[in-house]
Amino acid sequence: MKREKIIEVLKSNETGKTVLVKGWVRTKRGSKNINFIALNDGSTIHNLQIVVEVENFNDKLLRNITTGAALSVSGELTQSQGSGQNVELRAQEIELLGGADPDKYPIQPKRHTLEFLRENAHLRFRTNTFGAVFRIRHAMAFAIHKYFNEKGFYYMHTPIITASDAEGAGQMFRVSTLDPVNPPTTEEGEIDYTRDFFGKPANLTVSGQLEGELGAMALGEIYTFGPTFRAENSNTTRHLAEFWMIEPEMAFYDLTDNMDLAEDFLKSLIRYALDNCMDDLQFLANRLREEEKNKPQDQRSMELIEKLESVAGSDFVRCTYTEAIEILKRSKPYKKKKFQFPVDWGVDLQSEHERFLVEKHFKRPVILINYPKEIKAFYMKQNDDNKTVGAMDVLFPQIGEIIGGSQREEDYNKLVTRMKEMDIPVEEMWWYLDTRRFGSAPHSGFGLGFERFILFVTGMGNIRDVIPFPRTPKNAEF
Ligand code: 4AD
Ligand code: MG
């Protein structure tokens, strides 16, 4: 008999039919004569109820059916007597594929803290919460490829190992095969990277953008979707050392085209989640509602599904950095000295400022543009005021910055001048500069932090809970 997925079995109304399912026990309860097993196989958040007539099965087998055990069950699909499900499975044959010693199995049918589950990240997929999060994560990855494919963008695989620092921020992980204890040295006593694997210093990439630009200048519209790495020592609920980024790059787009794409992209993805992930979203919404009950009224956030509907249906605010600074300076928290970080033209906005703009002031997602050139990367298009660049950050409720992007400087001389000012090694970047020498054209792009986006969609509070195995400072378990 062919195994069926529980999601299909639950949808089917073919009572009387014999089916075979395989999955893991979530709970077992019952009496002397009859047992009820909730079986889950990951295909849906819903469990299939297995009805077991005790007298038909071996005692030892039934004793070993405990939470976490893997089972293969065949039987007859019947109309369910109990509430909560349409159909249930009357077990005819049960095979225990793998037991889970109840004294040792950490995931018991009770509420575990997220911290505990992070320490047991290898098993946390087996909880409703993480099942929902990772099914949604999958759906969003799929929706991203679907979105770009339908728009004629090409998926481009940019390298993970690179010798250039795309963001010029120097927060990179070194990739080397040199002996760390006794590295070869030059006559001057410095490490001799010519003898390293790549013949020069190499790192894990912080962004696929620079290579993405090369593709866009021929293929027209490309996107990358891959892992990126940042060795910034930020222990926050919004930062990972290894995260996934989606970076579209488009020839002939100016900053407005770039904003239009970013806004449409985000709304389409949220719409996809609402249309395709409702069971999981509903579960997460209920979970959040329970959590919010313990918070004071004024700190409660919007209901999850309502929040997603609202963002999917709203026009994002577009506002310059300069206007944002003025708004912040006129704000109550500023006047009452409630902001931890300074607000002044020229400083980078912190997430407390971003969240004030989005959650308190505009009450909608905000796209901030034209940032001071000093706080942005070398490749951004220089505005005529000589002070700002054509940058755009998309700010979301509860998250702050979710997208960072810009129009790119396409003028060779302006770009080289800026690179020199910012100590970017011009000679090593000859290949990047070549796009500005041969057929240069206006172009733009942005980067969406995938985990930040998943945080938003799932309503989870910590970025460590939306990637299977988080990498953060002092933490690379699993
Ligand atoms: O703003 P960032 O640094 O932009 C770039 O890397 C550009 N090269 C993108 C482009 O124009 N193609 O990063 C983009 C996004 C941020 O807005 C944020 O969502 C996410 O990546 N991000 C992180 N997510 C998790 N952990 C970190 N440490 C992150 N750093 C950035
Ligand atoms: Mg940024």
Side-chain angles (χ1 to χ4, degrees), residues 311 317 328 351-368 393-401 456:
V311 170
V317 174
L328 288 167
S351 99
E352 56 176 354
H353 309 132
E354 296 171 340
R355 291 185 59 177
F356 172 84
L357 293 168
V358 175
E359 290 164 32
K360 298 282 178 335
H361 187 80
F362 290 114
K363 299 187 167 64
R364 278 188 283 160
V366 178
I367 311 183
L368 280 191
D393 278 7
V394 181
L395 314 180
F396 257 35
Q398 278 137 40
I399 308 295
E401 182 193 336
F456 177 75

Side-chain angles (χ1 to χ4, degrees), residues 136 139-140 143 266-281 308 453 457-458:
I136 291 173
M140 290 295 90
L266 289 168
K267 288 183 188 170
S268 303
L269 297 182
I270 294 169
R271 180 54 49 212
Y272 186 92
L274 287 166
D275 291 344
N276 295 277
C277 309
M278 207 29 119
D279 281 357
D280 288 323
L281 286 175
L308 297 177
F453 181 68
V457 174
T458 58

Side-chain angles (χ1 to χ4, degrees), residues 319-321 324 349 357 366-371 391-395:
C319 167
T320 66
Y321 168 91
L349 296 182
L357 293 168
V366 178
I367 311 183
L368 280 191
I369 58 166
N370 298 340
Y371 282 71
M392 57 163 228
D393 278 7
V394 181
L395 314 180

Side-chain angles (χ1 to χ4, degrees), residues 168-196:
Q171 298 168 318
M172 308 188 81
F173 290 101
R174 169 78 27 97
V175 177
S176 172
T177 51
L178 293 181
D179 177 356
V181 181
N182 266 319
T185 51
T186 61
E187 277 171 17
E188 292 79 41
E190 280 165 3
I191 295 178
D192 184 4
Y193 285 107
T194 63
R195 294 176 53 194
D196 203 348

Side-chain angles (χ1 to χ4, degrees), residues 246-314:
I246 298 98
E247 295 185 275
E249 191 70 34
M250 300 76 65
F252 317 119
Y253 273 49
D254 66 13
L255 192 61
T256 304
D257 301 325
N258 205 18
M259 287 193 276
D260 291 345
L261 180 73
E263 180 169 344
D264 182 63
F265 176 53
L266 289 168
K267 288 183 188 170
S268 303
L269 297 182
I270 294 169
R271 180 54 49 212
Y272 186 92
L274 287 166
D275 291 344
N276 295 277
C277 309
M278 207 29 119
D279 281 357
D280 288 323
L281 286 175
Q282 223 124 39
F283 173 84
L284 292 171
N286 291 338
R287 179 188 165 277
L288 212 57
R289 209 174 294 124
E290 289 298 311
E291 231 174 46
E292 297 276 302
K293 274 188 193 154
N294 307 324
K295 289 190 190 165
Q297 194 92 37
D298 63 324
Q299 282 171 32
R300 289 185 200 167
S301 47
M302 206 192 249
E303 200 274 332
L304 179 65
I305 291 163
E306 207 180 300
K307 179 188 83 176
L308 297 177
E309 289 283 3
S310 139
V311 170
S314 69

Side-chain angles (χ1 to χ4, degrees), residues 167 230 348 354 376 380 392-393 401 403-405 447 452:
E167 291 302 297
R230 303 221 174 155
D348 209 356
E354 296 171 340
K376 290 292 184 190
M380 295 192 181
M392 57 163 228
D393 278 7
E401 182 193 336
I403 278 182
R452 290 202 188 167

Side-chain angles (χ1 to χ4, degrees), residues 166-167 206-209 230 232 238-241 243-249 376 379 393-394 401-406 408 445-452 463:
E167 291 302 297
V206 295
S207 159
Q209 176 194 325
R230 303 221 174 155
E232 51 192 338
R238 307 272 176 273
H239 289 87
L240 291 165
F243 64 99
W244 288 65
M245 188 154 45
I246 298 98
E247 295 185 275
E249 191 70 34
K376 290 292 184 190
Y379 50 70
D393 278 7
V394 181
E401 182 193 336
I402 200 161
I403 278 182
S406 72
R408 319 305 189 191
F446 61 81
L448 170 66
F450 190 48
E451 286 75 20
R452 290 202 188 167
I463 202 163

